[in-house]
Amino acid sequence: MSTSPVFKIIPTTQKYDWGKIGTNSKVAQFASASKIPGFILEESAPYAELWMGTHPKSPSRVLESNAVLSEHLAAHPELIGKRVADRFDASNGNLPFLFKTEVLFAQQPDIYKDANHKPEMALALTPFAALCELTALIPATIVADFLAIAGSSDPTGPAEKVALKNLFAAVMTADEAQVKTQLDTLVARYKAGGAKVEGESQDIVELVLRLDSQFPGDIGIFCAFLLNYVHLKPGEAIFLGAGEPHAYISGDIMECMANSDNVIRAGLTPKLRDIPNLVSGLTYEASPPSKHVVTPTPFRTAASSTLYDPPIPEFSVVQVVVGADAKETHPMVAGPSIAIATEGSGFVSWTGGSAALDVRQGDVFFIGANTDISFSSASGLTVHRAFVEAN
């Protein structure tokens, strides 16, 4: 039985403490605009993430039939494509990526529920700040050892990684009472306008004060000195490989990752913390923020589409911006896609389709493998499309 290669799907919402509240959240705005069945916006609830994909924790469904998306794809393997199914073991209908809108503010299988690694890419929708990867360091019990090697010309060498790991571990496992005392002293100095010491920019001062207001006494506040502090403008993106520590601080993003929800936490969260596994699982490769930047490029022959292509095979993301009374066409992609209309409204059409799909802000839709697609709009439309191909 044939099935349409393009159809709307029902995403799911996740409420976490760090989400924005009520209608201030892009997640809530998208969920409301797309009229997710049964969704009732709670003005006092924190909406953190909108999930689009086949992750078993919270899978999307086909709007027309209410079938679980993975089951629908397993019944129609042509929608995934044989090459992708073979390359990523996706014959059961599970996509190799999980697409999200995120609003920020093996061992232990009850906590880490799948075996997938979790590289991810964050594409800013609004001004966005992130902490990513260790670099600048503060004094700790083994600071002398670190300072002795800090000027190395090979910051990713074995000895350098050990020194960085030892310092990070010492900070993250410091006595809680001592952490609180030192944070109180630091925050009091900042609030009093005390002189900054080397490495303390005004950005870092403001960040520490903000984090302290949200997570007073939390060891994660010291990560302001241990990680790069990165600001992204709308349309800029960073990629973080597995084992690279990060904390998203504020803003709205489109996030795509391997199909995993494993998170090892150590600070700035009310959830379970697992410092031993975090310390043992990081890469400890010191580098500038530029290492993580994903440089956008044109998407094939499309005139108004921008490709964000991280250095992994599981996913890529295209941002499509269609002007008023304009049309944008994408050639066939040899794998499945999930797309969301993030601004405006318009139509999606494809060869062989009997009628165009009407989409507006918040609508999420699936695009089957080997399907050419066109976006059109009378007033303007922005779409973010995640896809996978197999070479």
Side-chain angles (χ1 to χ4, degrees), residues 18-188:
W18 54 84
K20 288 185 179 179
I21 304 300
T23 51
N24 290 320
S25 168
K26 281 282 187 185
V27 169
Q29 293 172 25
F30 290 165
S32 294
S34 63
K35 296 179 174 58
I36 294 177
F39 177 79
I40 300 176
L41 195 154
E42 301 174 49
E43 282 295 351
S44 60
Y47 293 93
E49 297 179 353
L50 187 79
W51 284 25
M52 299 163 279
T54 58
H55 196 283
K57 173 184 172 181
S58 194
S60 297
R61 291 179 174 269
V62 178
L63 178 61
E64 186 175 23
S65 65
N66 202 40
V68 175
L69 178 59
S70 59
E71 295 177 358
H72 182 78
L73 298 180
H76 300 281
E78 73 279 3
L79 295 175
I80 291 181
K82 187 177 187 307
R83 288 167 59 186
V84 168
D86 291 346
R87 171 67 174 80
F88 297 101
D89 191 24
S91 58
N92 59 358
N94 281 324
L95 300 174
F97 63 85
L98 176 62
F99 202 24
K100 294 181 180 180
T101 299
E102 187 160 345
V103 181
L104 303 163
F105 192 69
Q107 257 181 327
Q108 298 171 271
D110 56 322
I111 302 168
Y112 309 121
K113 299 182 184 299
D114 56 68
N116 296 331
H117 68 161
K118 196 190 174 195
E120 59 191 69
M121 181 171 67
L123 169 60
L125 297 180
T126 62
F128 178 80
L131 293 175
C132 63
E133 200 169 5
L134 301 169
T135 178
L137 305 172
I138 60 174
T141 57
I142 56 172
V143 69
D145 291 339
F146 175 80
L147 290 177
I149 204 170
S152 169
S153 61
D154 182 15
T156 62
E160 289 78 1
K161 287 185 179 182
V162 169
L164 190 52
K165 179 177 181 178
N166 288 344
L167 181 60
F168 182 72
V171 173
M172 298 307 292
T173 58
D175 177 74
E176 290 186 15
Q178 181 68 6
V179 167
K180 188 177 187 310
T181 297
Q182 294 301 320
L183 279 174
D184 288 346
T185 301
L186 177 67
V187 169

Side-chain angles (χ1 to χ4, degrees), residues 4 27 35 41 44 100 119 122 134 209 229 243 245 263 277 364 374 382:
S4 173
V27 169
K35 296 179 174 58
L41 195 154
S44 60
K100 294 181 180 180
L134 301 169
L209 292 176
Y229 186 25
V263 181
N277 273 328
V364 182
S374 292
T382 299

Side-chain angles (χ1 to χ4, degrees), residues 367-386:
I367 304 169
N370 303 309
T371 303
D372 56 20
I373 203 89
S374 292
F375 307 91
S376 59
S377 176
S379 57
L381 172 68
T382 299
V383 171
H384 288 82
R385 175 185 185 181

